[in-house]
Amino acid sequence: EIKAANLNITDEGNIQDFLGINIERKANGTIKLRQPQLIDQILRDLKMDIANLGTKETPALSTKILTRHRESEDFDKSFHYRSIIGRLGYLETGSRPDISYITHQCARFSTKPKREHGNAIRYIARYLKGTKDKGLIMKPDRSKGLEVHVDADSAGNWTPDDSDDPDTARSRHGYIISYAGCPVTWKSQLQTETALSTTEAEDIGMSQSLRSAIPLMRIIRELKNAGFDVVNNQVPVQCKVFEDNSGAIEIANSDKYRPRTKHINNKLHHFRSYVTKGRVKILKIDTADQPADMLTKPLSGSLFCELRKKVMGW
């Protein structure tokens, strides 16, 4: 028995702004998400809202990894570091996956920022200044269902100067979950455990991405069973995972475990049945075509722009 909730419902028309995100719908079905007001606020807080401010092609230097820089001068407190990190975090989760990696890297040092960390944030601001009116352009493709692109950078933060810091031994993974060719969620994350190999780092990233993708797959299946017109109405609902590490693909697709990889079994256990039943397919992708690469490390201008085009449409 269904009872009325006695709620007043109003039709506000087509959504244009939601929680600070500007939503633009075009006649061809394309949806564009932007947050120019938030970028303006970040620039004001940094005192960088000037007309002749120089811009950058990428959000981070590709030639230098941001570390603790323990021997450097302390951050000069010319702006509220943690407040800016919070705003950048909301920006990257709302419409700007292109700044995910460097935003999270800067956030790691919020407790004791150094001069280099303040400069890195100003570098991001210069990039945002030049791309203020840009955002996430989503063009639904009904031929595509649920897809995951996942990548990992094995111990990419390690440097000789910080070799005594256990955090430098941890790897970073990043993943993008898309539906109908449109990114719906993404993440750049320093792994919580130390991977003993590149294959294991990639496998951890795959496991983490599927912990988010499998619930989405279940929701899509429920909608389909309820009669909703879901994109790519395949039977059964599947998820395609694109991985560029052959070892991780072999382990994910095989029931056999060798002495050097048997410790990975527990991480794979939660999605093993989905692979066996064909509901999750692990597919090979070339490293140069892996869009999740921009979530794991700073990239050169040409490669960054190429991958940004694949993910964000510009």
Side-chain angles (χ1 to χ4, degrees):
E1 182 181 357
I2 300 177
K3 296 182 180 181
N6 295 322
L7 299 177
N8 293 323
I9 299 176
T10 60
D11 184 356
E12 301 295 337
N14 292 329
I15 187 170
Q16 293 181 335
D17 290 280
F18 181 72
L19 297 178
I21 301 175
N22 178 258
I23 302 172
E24 180 184 354
R25 295 176 179 267
K26 297 189 176 181
N28 62 0
T30 298
I31 301 172
K32 185 176 181 180
L33 307 180
R34 300 183 303 127
Q35 294 172 274
Q37 297 90 348
L38 180 55
I39 294 177
D40 283 336
Q41 190 172 31
I42 291 171
L43 291 172
R44 285 195 300 270
D45 290 348
L46 292 172
K47 300 179 178 62
M48 298 176 69
D49 54 336
I50 53 178
N52 60 349
L53 179 72
T55 60
K56 298 295 183 180
E57 183 183 19
T58 63
L61 285 169
S62 62
T63 55
K64 183 180 295 185
I65 297 293
L66 204 60
T67 64
R68 293 192 183 279
H69 299 286
R70 287 176 288 189
E71 303 302 321
S72 297
E73 298 176 8
D74 288 342
F75 170 59
D76 60 11
K77 298 182 179 180
S78 56
F79 58 84
H80 197 298
Y81 192 94
R82 293 188 184 184
S83 175
I84 293 296
I85 287 294
R87 296 186 192 282
L88 288 172
Y90 187 72
L91 176 63
E92 69 93 3
T93 55
S95 63
R96 298 297 297 264
D98 51 331
I99 65 169
S100 290
Y101 163 77
I102 189 58
T103 296
H104 290 174
Q105 191 75 342
C106 288
R108 291 181 55 213
F109 311 106
S110 295
T111 56
K112 195 174 182 180
K114 296 291 186 174
R115 179 186 61 221
E116 287 82 357
H117 306 134
N119 290 339
I121 288 182
R122 294 187 182 96
Y123 198 100
I124 299 173
R126 291 179 180 273
Y127 170 73
L128 293 175
K129 171 72 174 180
T131 59
K132 186 181 72 171
D133 293 325
K134 301 293 186 180
L136 182 60
I137 301 174
M138 299 189 293
K139 300 178 181 179
D141 183 349
R142 297 188 66 88
S143 67
K144 295 182 178 181
L146 193 65
E147 296 181 342
V148 179
H149 290 85
V150 56
D151 192 32
D153 182 30
S154 181
N157 289 316
W158 188 89
T159 62
D161 295 337
D162 286 334
S163 58
D164 61 331
D165 181 359
D167 281 349
T168 63
R170 292 195 287 158
S171 303
R172 176 178 289 274
H173 66 248
Y175 60 81
I176 302 167
I177 301 177
S178 303
Y179 183 61
C182 302
V184 293
T185 186
W186 50 86
K187 194 165 193 178
S188 175
Q189 180 181 30
L190 198 65
Q191 295 178 350
T192 56
E193 57 188 298
T194 302
L196 303 182
S197 65
T198 300
T199 294
E200 185 176 0
E202 296 278 358
D203 182 74
I204 293 171
M206 190 188 308
S207 176
Q208 291 292 333
S209 68
L210 281 167
R211 291 180 192 184
S212 296
I214 287 174
L216 291 176
M217 186 167 58
R218 291 171 178 166
I219 291 173
I220 295 170
R221 186 167 64 247
E222 289 180 11
L223 290 172
K224 175 186 170 184
N225 293 338
F228 286 87
D229 181 24
V230 300
V231 172
N232 195 355
N233 195 14
Q234 56 189 341
V235 181
V237 175
Q238 294 179 337
C239 174
K240 296 180 180 179
V241 180
F242 295 92
E243 169 63 55
D244 61 6
N245 183 274
S246 298
I249 294 173
E250 173 66 22
I251 293 173
N253 283 323
S254 175
D255 288 326
K256 297 180 180 179
Y257 292 93
R258 298 167 178 81
R260 291 194 298 176
T261 58
K262 62 182 180 181
H263 62 287
I264 303 177
N265 181 41
N266 289 338
K267 303 185 190 72
L268 283 175
H269 181 72
H270 75 94
F271 68 82
R272 167 59 61 191
S273 62
Y274 287 86
V275 175
T276 303
K277 294 176 182 177
R279 292 181 178 176
V280 170
K281 293 187 176 182
I282 315 296
L283 306 173
K284 176 70 174 176
I285 189 173
D286 191 270
T287 301
D289 297 325
Q290 175 59 275
D293 195 31
M294 75 175 189
L295 301 179
T296 64
K297 62 181 77 69
L299 303 176
S300 63
S302 57
L303 180 56
F304 176 81
C305 291
E306 182 179 340
L307 296 182
R308 184 183 63 191
K309 176 71 174 178
K310 293 177 182 293
V311 177
M312 303 181 65
W314 56 276

